Amino acid sequence: MDWAVILAGGSGTRFWPLSSPRRPKQLLPLTGDVPTAVAAARAVEPLVTRRRILVVAGAHLAADLSTALELPADQMLVEPKPASTAPALAWATATALARDPSATVLSMHADWHLADPESFRRTADAALEAARLYDCLVTVGLVPTRVETGYGHILPGEQVRGPVYRIARFVEKPPRDVAETLMSEGALWNSGLFAWTARRFFEELQAHAPEVARATIRLAEGKVDAFFDEVAPIAIDHALFERSDKVVTIKGDFPWDDVGGWEALARLHPADQGGNVHRGPVTMLGAERSIAWSDGTPIVLAGVKDVVVVAANGRVLVIDRARAADLKEILDALPPEVRELE
């Protein structure tokens, strides 16, 4: 049967000061009326029954996510500590396998914006079917809609059948000139939407990812804490997809955004006549191409251009829009009493 794993970790820095460790972006209504985690679960649920949805999150988020998603405790996998995506997905896949020996797993993130859930489900269903049919690990590559330096890219290789292709190579987040070339060559965005059968996943883990495989015996013993103590933190892309030869990609063409920071709001919300996007009690007076968000304090942008202004959680951020992608580095430079939120 088909299972879905929703990865819902996060440190809450990308949308500071609106986001916080207790309320990172997947618990915020950034793209609509509900948190992104709720929207993600709703998008996948018609494809995968609710009882076969597993959510991986830290202890500080598990209760709030369980309530928001209306999922029972046995579907919430609470990480003892962060260890990146390969250990998290090994645990989730082992959990699905223990409950269903024929499990096929779809892995997705809780903080994506999926504007067309139906087309997303069609692609996800095709990925699950390819995982079974070709006995391989599947990564969904999305047709780019712009030159993007913030995403990894996939260069498809030989066509297997229909939308399924072998992978010529992966390219980490490229500089702009490389991203332009990749786009012209037909490269796809590496979305992070994956599928595999549980059996194939663990065979590839044993063959290619000793950082994680050496500790999987602890999962069989039911010793989750020991598993996380013994694994090395590593992303699933590096642990398996860049090492295994049992990997294919499926071309997806559904609207998708990873909602990576404040700049994403300009892509996901309609702008006013001045090209501004804003939420909350915000007044624009001659402002242009700016992004503003307030969680309650009225704010006014007058005569400014290309800025991001956020008033939330007792903090106010004003930043050049061109530097919004550098927010993490800016936060690192702040004194703790300013940076840290409850």
Side-chain angles (χ1 to χ4, degrees):
M1 291 184 287
D2 293 337
W3 290 72
V5 175
I6 300 177
L7 298 173
S11 59
T13 59
R14 291 185 174 189
F15 284 88
W16 190 93
L18 181 65
S19 62
S20 67
R22 288 281 304 178
R23 199 163 174 254
K25 67 173 181 172
Q26 58 267 36
L27 285 170
L28 296 171
L30 293 169
T31 61
D33 296 329
V34 299
T36 59
V38 174
R42 289 178 180 176
V44 77
E45 189 178 345
L47 178 63
V48 177
T49 183
R50 174 167 286 266
R51 279 298 294 165
R52 294 198 295 273
I53 295 175
L54 303 173
V55 178
V56 183
H60 63 298
L61 298 179
D64 289 340
L65 282 165
S66 179
T67 299
L69 298 172
E70 299 180 339
L71 291 178
D74 67 343
Q75 291 174 246
M76 301 298 301
L77 304 186
V78 183
E79 293 177 294
K81 62 182 180 181
S84 196
T85 54
L89 287 167
W91 181 26
T93 302
T95 301
L97 184 61
R99 300 177 188 181
D100 173 13
S102 64
T104 305
V105 174
L106 182 78
S107 171
M108 59 187 294
H109 288 255
D111 52 7
W112 293 341
H113 176 60
L114 303 169
D116 184 351
E118 186 174 346
S119 63
F120 162 77
R121 286 190 293 273
R122 284 197 298 268
T123 300
D125 190 34
L128 288 162
E129 182 60 27
R132 287 186 290 267
L133 183 61
Y134 299 109
D135 191 22
C136 59
L137 310 176
V138 181
T139 179
V140 172
L142 294 176
V143 177
T145 57
R146 63 184 183 275
V147 175
E148 178 57 66
T149 61
Y151 300 157
H153 288 61
I154 300 167
L155 269 172
E158 174 190 358
Q159 185 177 22
V160 177
R161 185 177 181 183
V164 182
Y165 289 78
R166 302 194 186 281
I167 294 174
R169 63 187 174 102
F170 291 96
V171 181
E172 285 296 318
K173 300 174 182 178
R176 186 171 184 84
D177 59 334
V178 176
E180 290 173 347
T181 300
L182 288 169
M183 191 171 177
S184 69
E185 293 176 349
L188 307 171
W189 287 341
N190 192 357
S191 69
L193 179 63
F194 304 125
W196 49 68
T197 65
R199 181 189 60 79
R200 172 53 59 195
F201 177 89
F202 282 109
E203 287 187 8
E204 296 307 294
L205 203 70
Q206 291 294 328
H208 301 289
E211 305 95 331
V212 180
R214 65 191 180 208
T216 54
I217 185 63
R218 301 303 184 195
L219 296 177
E221 296 169 346
K223 298 177 180 177
V224 174
D225 286 0
F227 169 75
F228 277 87
D229 284 339
E230 294 178 19
V231 295
I234 185 171
I236 193 67
D237 309 69
H238 303 314
L240 284 187
F241 281 88
E242 295 176 8
R243 297 174 179 177
S244 171
D245 60 359
K246 293 281 189 177
V247 174
V248 297
T249 188
I250 280 188
K251 287 186 178 181
D253 202 12
F254 56 88
W256 170 91
D257 200 292
D258 78 338
V259 197
W262 288 112
E263 183 62 30
L265 299 191
R267 298 192 296 269
L268 303 177
H269 293 282
D272 65 17
Q273 289 185 341
N276 306 297
V277 171
H278 50 90
R279 291 281 295 272
V282 176
T283 301
M284 295 286 188
L285 298 174
E288 297 179 17
R289 300 182 303 277
S290 293
I291 299 168
W293 186 298
S294 173
D295 66 359
T297 301
I299 59 177
V300 179
L301 277 68
V304 296
K305 299 178 181 179
D306 301 308
V307 295
V308 176
V309 180
V310 185
N313 290 316
R315 307 288 192 275
V316 176
L317 170 71
V318 181
I319 185 173
D320 188 310
R321 187 168 163 180
R323 291 205 62 199
D326 302 329
L327 184 55
K328 186 178 185 302
E329 290 74 19
I330 292 169
L331 290 179
D332 289 342
L334 295 179
E337 63 271 19
V338 176
R339 178 182 64 244
E340 294 174 5
L341 302 171
E342 293 294 328

